[in-house]
Short mmCIF file of all heavy atoms in Angstrom, two decimals:
data_model
loop_
_atom_site.label_atom_id
_atom_site.label_comp_id
_atom_site.label_asym_id
_atom_site.label_seq_id
_atom_site.Cartn_x
_atom_site.Cartn_y
_atom_site.Cartn_z
N ARG A 134 111.20 59.53 115.25
CA ARG A 134 109.88 59.73 114.86
C ARG A 134 109.00 60.22 116.10
O ARG A 134 107.79 60.48 115.85
CB ARG A 134 109.29 58.55 114.19
CG ARG A 134 109.05 57.23 115.26
CD ARG A 134 108.61 56.16 114.55
NE ARG A 134 108.55 54.94 115.32
CZ ARG A 134 108.26 53.71 114.79
NH1 ARG A 134 108.16 53.57 113.67
NH2 ARG A 134 108.34 52.72 115.79
N LEU A 255 96.46 56.57 113.18
CA LEU A 255 97.90 56.52 112.90
C LEU A 255 98.37 55.16 112.85
O LEU A 255 98.17 54.37 113.86
CB LEU A 255 98.68 57.46 113.80
CG LEU A 255 98.35 58.99 113.82
CD1 LEU A 255 98.99 59.60 115.04
CD2 LEU A 255 98.71 59.70 112.50
N VAL A 256 99.19 54.85 111.86
CA VAL A 256 99.61 53.44 111.72
C VAL A 256 101.11 53.35 111.46
O VAL A 256 101.69 54.18 110.72
CB VAL A 256 98.91 52.81 110.50
CG1 VAL A 256 99.49 51.40 110.17
CG2 VAL A 256 97.39 52.68 110.84
N VAL A 257 101.76 52.41 112.14
CA VAL A 257 103.14 52.06 111.88
C VAL A 257 103.21 50.58 111.40
O VAL A 257 102.75 49.72 112.11
CB VAL A 257 103.89 52.28 113.23
CG1 VAL A 257 105.36 51.72 113.03
CG2 VAL A 257 104.02 53.58 113.81
N LYS A 258 103.79 50.45 110.20
CA LYS A 258 103.63 49.16 109.60
C LYS A 258 105.03 48.29 109.83
O LYS A 258 106.02 48.93 109.95
CB LYS A 258 103.37 49.43 108.12
CG LYS A 258 102.06 49.98 107.78
CD LYS A 258 101.84 50.24 106.28
CE LYS A 258 100.54 50.80 105.92
NZ LYS A 258 100.31 51.05 104.49
N ASN A 259 104.91 47.08 109.76
CA ASN A 259 105.97 46.17 109.53
C ASN A 259 105.89 45.29 108.28
O ASN A 259 105.05 44.40 108.31
CB ASN A 259 106.12 45.16 110.84
CG ASN A 259 107.34 44.33 110.75
OD1 ASN A 259 107.40 43.33 109.98
ND2 ASN A 259 108.43 44.75 111.39
N THR A 264 102.19 43.27 109.24
CA THR A 264 101.36 43.64 110.32
C THR A 264 101.57 45.16 110.62
O THR A 264 102.32 45.71 110.06
CB THR A 264 101.89 42.84 111.66
OG1 THR A 264 103.28 43.06 111.86
CG2 THR A 264 101.63 41.39 111.65
N ALA A 265 100.69 45.70 111.43
CA ALA A 265 100.62 47.09 111.65
C ALA A 265 100.17 47.47 113.07
O ALA A 265 99.31 46.76 113.67
CB ALA A 265 99.78 47.82 110.70
N LEU A 266 100.75 48.57 113.65
CA LEU A 266 100.35 49.06 114.95
C LEU A 266 99.53 50.22 114.71
O LEU A 266 99.96 51.27 114.05
CB LEU A 266 101.51 49.31 115.72
CG LEU A 266 102.49 48.23 116.30
CD1 LEU A 266 103.53 48.88 117.04
CD2 LEU A 266 101.78 47.22 117.00
N ALA A 267 98.30 50.36 115.29
CA ALA A 267 97.55 51.52 115.32
C ALA A 267 97.88 52.29 116.68
O ALA A 267 97.94 51.74 117.71
CB ALA A 267 96.11 51.23 115.42
N CYS A 268 98.29 53.63 116.48
CA CYS A 268 98.88 54.28 117.60
C CYS A 268 98.45 55.62 117.73
O CYS A 268 97.75 56.19 116.83
CB CYS A 268 100.43 54.23 117.51
SG CYS A 268 100.92 54.75 115.93
N LEU A 274 106.39 54.06 121.66
CA LEU A 274 106.84 53.39 120.48
C LEU A 274 108.37 53.61 120.35
O LEU A 274 108.90 54.61 120.80
CB LEU A 274 106.20 53.89 119.17
CG LEU A 274 104.72 53.66 118.94
CD1 LEU A 274 104.22 54.51 117.82
CD2 LEU A 274 104.58 52.17 118.75
N ASN A 281 114.21 49.98 114.69
CA ASN A 281 113.13 49.21 115.25
C ASN A 281 112.87 48.13 114.27
O ASN A 281 112.65 46.99 114.72
CB ASN A 281 111.92 50.08 115.52
CG ASN A 281 110.87 49.23 116.14
OD1 ASN A 281 111.04 48.62 117.17
ND2 ASN A 281 109.64 49.17 115.51
N LEU A 307 102.07 47.88 123.01
CA LEU A 307 101.01 47.80 121.93
C LEU A 307 101.19 46.65 121.02
O LEU A 307 100.35 46.50 120.10
CB LEU A 307 101.04 49.06 121.07
CG LEU A 307 100.43 50.31 121.70
CD1 LEU A 307 100.68 51.57 120.84
CD2 LEU A 307 98.89 50.14 121.82
N GLY A 308 102.24 45.91 121.14
CA GLY A 308 102.45 44.72 120.32
C GLY A 308 103.46 44.77 119.23
O GLY A 308 103.41 44.16 118.25
N ASN A 309 104.40 45.70 119.48
CA ASN A 309 105.58 45.85 118.48
C ASN A 309 106.27 44.57 118.13
O ASN A 309 106.51 44.43 116.96
CB ASN A 309 106.67 46.81 119.16
CG ASN A 309 107.66 47.20 118.17
OD1 ASN A 309 107.40 47.66 117.09
ND2 ASN A 309 108.97 47.05 118.67
N PHE A 310 106.50 43.70 119.07
CA PHE A 310 107.09 42.38 118.78
C PHE A 310 105.94 41.39 118.69
O PHE A 310 106.05 40.29 118.02
CB PHE A 310 108.07 42.06 119.73
CG PHE A 310 109.18 42.92 120.03
CD1 PHE A 310 109.41 43.63 121.04
CD2 PHE A 310 110.02 43.13 118.78
CE1 PHE A 310 110.55 44.57 121.15
CE2 PHE A 310 111.04 44.04 118.89
CZ PHE A 310 111.30 44.69 120.11
N LEU A 312 102.74 41.05 117.46
CA LEU A 312 102.08 40.99 116.23
C LEU A 312 102.98 40.23 115.21
O LEU A 312 102.62 39.15 114.54
CB LEU A 312 101.50 42.24 115.65
CG LEU A 312 100.54 42.91 116.47
CD1 LEU A 312 99.98 44.10 115.80
CD2 LEU A 312 99.36 41.96 116.87
N PRO A 313 104.18 40.67 114.94
CA PRO A 313 105.12 39.87 114.09
C PRO A 313 105.38 38.52 114.50
O PRO A 313 105.39 37.51 113.66
CB PRO A 313 106.40 40.77 114.02
CG PRO A 313 105.94 42.09 114.35
CD PRO A 313 104.85 41.91 115.30
N GLN A 337 93.46 45.98 117.45
CA GLN A 337 94.25 46.02 116.12
C GLN A 337 94.57 44.61 115.64
O GLN A 337 94.67 44.45 114.53
CB GLN A 337 95.33 46.86 116.26
CG GLN A 337 96.51 46.46 117.23
CD GLN A 337 97.52 47.54 117.50
OE1 GLN A 337 97.41 48.61 116.94
NE2 GLN A 337 98.59 47.16 118.18
N GLN A 341 93.36 42.69 112.00
CA GLN A 341 94.21 42.06 111.02
C GLN A 341 94.12 40.57 110.93
O GLN A 341 94.88 39.85 110.45
CB GLN A 341 95.72 42.43 111.35
CG GLN A 341 95.96 43.93 111.38
CD GLN A 341 97.28 44.38 111.86
OE1 GLN A 341 98.30 43.97 111.26
NE2 GLN A 341 97.25 44.97 113.01
#
Side-chain angles (χ1 to χ4, degrees):
R134 67 180 173 194
L255 296 169
V256 172
V257 174
K258 298 178 180 178
N259 184 280
T264 56
L266 295 181
C268 49
L274 290 171
N281 183 56
L307 280 172
N309 184 51
F310 301 117
L312 299 184
Q337 66 191 5
Q341 297 169 71

